[in-house]
């Protein structure tokens, strides 16, 4: 012990002794390792069996929906031909995976593993399996920064899927809440209504789920109702995303007005950009 404390030569001796003792340690730990491996294998097998059962049920459900969807698609195509309407094109996309989240609790942003070498660009829509996630705000060679729809500086035009009413949805600074802006007190909007992208101004393609209305509060004496919604996308849980490549938008006439919100097309374009926080909003 004295030599080991005072001199460094014992380190070589200890290293050689470790090589000799290592097989003994391996043999001693073998029973416990086998037990842990067996427990893990059985546990993984049960998990895989449960997951396989759920996937089979999901496959049957999706197969049934797919069969009906094929019929509806054919019917929709025929009706469009009768009405001489333009056909809707499939939107190309590429997959992306989460790299990191912003550490700032007041900034809802993330970084994904696709950059301009992969074709990503600023303003590109991002979705997950459930709905709209946000848009790309900065692009480097191999990664991109995405601003989430829940961020307080993000806004986009949406429409009520039930009746087509159009509004502006803005982030509330919380992952589980969005604010529906400037909703007239007499507007036909209810709890449970699905809000989808309206396609106005061309930033986000139409028809993608954005949020579901959770609360409609009518304040007597005020012209606008307070409407809250919950994002459809799994903003805090999703790890895999799709970056969409929508077709170039058609030009929108500058004198077009939205019948509900009274916003010009230029205002709608700016709403799809990064919206500044209102001056009267408290900042952390």
């Amino acid at each position: 012990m004295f030599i080991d404390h005072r001199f460094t030569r014992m380190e070589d001796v200890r290293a050689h002794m470790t090589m000799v003792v290592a097989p003994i340690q391996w043999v001693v730990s073998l029973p416990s390792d086998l037990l842990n491996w067996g427990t893990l294998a059985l546990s993984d097998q049960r998990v895989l069996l449960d997951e396989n059962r759920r996937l089979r049920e999901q496959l049957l459900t999706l197969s049934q929906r797919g069969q009906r969807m094929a019929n509806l698609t054919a019917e929709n195509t025929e009706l469009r031909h009768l009405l001489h309407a333009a056909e809707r094109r499939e939107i190309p996309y590429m997959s992306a995976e989460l790299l990191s989240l912003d550490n700032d609790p007041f900034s809802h942003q993330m970084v994904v593993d696709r950059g301009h070498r992969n074709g990503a660009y600023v303003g590109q829509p991002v979705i997950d399996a459930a709905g709209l996630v946000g848009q790309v705000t900065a692009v480097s060679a191999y990664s991109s920064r995405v601003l989430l729809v829940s961020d307080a500086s993000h806004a986009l035009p949406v429409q009520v899927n039930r009746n087509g009413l159009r509004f502006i949805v803005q982030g509330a600074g919380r992952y589980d809440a969005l604010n529906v802006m400037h909703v007239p007190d007499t507007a036909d909007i209810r709890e449970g209504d699905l809000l989808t992208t309206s396609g106005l101004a061309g930033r986000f393609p139409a028809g993608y789920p954005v949020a579901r209305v959770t609360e409609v509060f009518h304040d007597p004496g005020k012209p606008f109702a307070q409407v809250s919604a919950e994002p459809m996308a799994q903003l805090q849980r999703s790890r895999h995303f799709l970056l969409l490549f929508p077709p170039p938008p058609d030009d929108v006439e500058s004198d077009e007005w939205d019948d509900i919100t009274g916003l010009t097309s230029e205002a709608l374009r700016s709403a799809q950009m990064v919206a500044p926080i209102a001056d009267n909003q408290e900042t952390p």
Side-chain angles (χ1 to χ4, degrees):
M1 293 175 60
F2 176 79
I3 295 174
D4 188 21
H5 180 70
R6 293 291 182 179
F7 302 98
T8 59
R9 293 183 177 274
M10 292 300 295
E11 293 182 1
D12 296 335
V13 176
R14 188 183 301 108
H16 292 296
M17 291 297 295
T18 302
M19 294 177 59
V20 174
V21 177
I24 301 176
Q25 293 176 335
W26 182 80
V27 172
V28 171
S29 62
L30 184 60
S32 61
D33 291 341
L34 289 175
L35 180 61
N36 292 334
W37 177 83
T39 304
L40 182 62
L42 292 176
S43 176
D44 288 345
Q45 185 178 9
R46 286 195 298 269
V47 172
L48 289 175
L49 289 175
D50 292 339
E51 183 177 2
N52 187 38
R53 177 181 53 80
R54 289 195 302 268
L55 290 176
R56 286 180 179 274
E57 294 176 356
Q58 185 177 7
L59 179 62
L60 290 175
T61 302
L62 294 178
S63 176
Q64 184 270 339
R65 292 182 180 178
Q67 295 174 18
R68 180 164 176 79
M69 185 63 67
N71 184 35
L72 293 176
T73 301
E75 183 179 350
N76 184 53
T77 303
E78 183 179 356
L79 291 175
R80 283 184 171 273
H81 282 305
L82 291 175
L83 297 174
H84 301 286
E87 294 185 2
R88 291 185 177 179
R89 294 177 292 178
E90 293 291 334
I91 297 179
Y93 61 86
M94 68 176 174
S95 61
E97 189 171 353
L98 177 68
L99 288 181
S100 64
L101 288 171
D102 201 317
N103 293 327
D104 186 356
F106 303 106
S107 177
H108 294 184
Q109 300 186 35
M110 66 179 183
V111 177
V112 296
D113 63 345
R114 290 292 184 268
H116 66 75
R117 289 182 176 271
N118 307 107
Y121 60 91
V122 174
Q124 187 171 17
V126 181
I127 65 172
D128 67 357
L132 184 69
V133 172
Q135 61 176 302
V136 176
T137 56
V139 179
S140 61
Y142 298 102
S143 64
S144 300
R145 180 169 291 273
V146 178
L147 183 69
L148 305 183
V149 293
S150 59
D151 192 276
S153 65
H154 190 280
L156 74 154
V158 298
Q159 66 181 14
V160 180
N161 191 55
R162 177 171 54 86
N163 52 25
L165 290 179
R166 296 186 290 271
F167 303 103
I168 298 295
V169 163
Q170 186 170 6
R174 295 164 45 196
Y175 286 105
D176 60 347
L178 299 174
N179 294 326
V180 186
M181 311 299 293
H182 312 301
V183 179
D185 194 61
T186 57
D188 183 16
I189 186 170
R190 312 170 188 169
E191 293 184 12
D193 278 346
L194 177 64
L195 304 178
T196 62
T197 52
S198 64
L200 294 178
R203 174 58 59 87
F204 299 100
Y208 285 89
V210 177
R212 190 172 296 279
V213 176
T214 56
E215 182 182 6
V216 179
F217 177 71
H218 298 278
D219 192 354
K222 291 190 176 182
F224 296 104
Q226 298 178 8
V227 181
S228 300
E230 182 180 7
M232 295 295 294
Q234 305 296 319
L235 301 179
Q236 292 183 288
R237 289 182 286 181
S238 294
R239 295 188 60 88
H240 298 87
F241 308 94
L242 295 180
L243 277 63
L244 304 179
F245 293 90
D250 297 330
D251 292 335
V252 181
E253 297 296 332
S254 60
D255 57 352
E256 289 185 1
W257 289 75
D258 185 275
D259 297 334
I260 300 301
T261 60
L263 297 175
T264 63
S265 58
E266 187 169 343
L268 287 171
R269 288 193 188 97
S270 64
Q272 291 185 311
M273 305 298 287
V274 178
I277 302 177
D279 294 336
N280 58 357
Q281 183 175 354
E282 295 182 2
T283 55

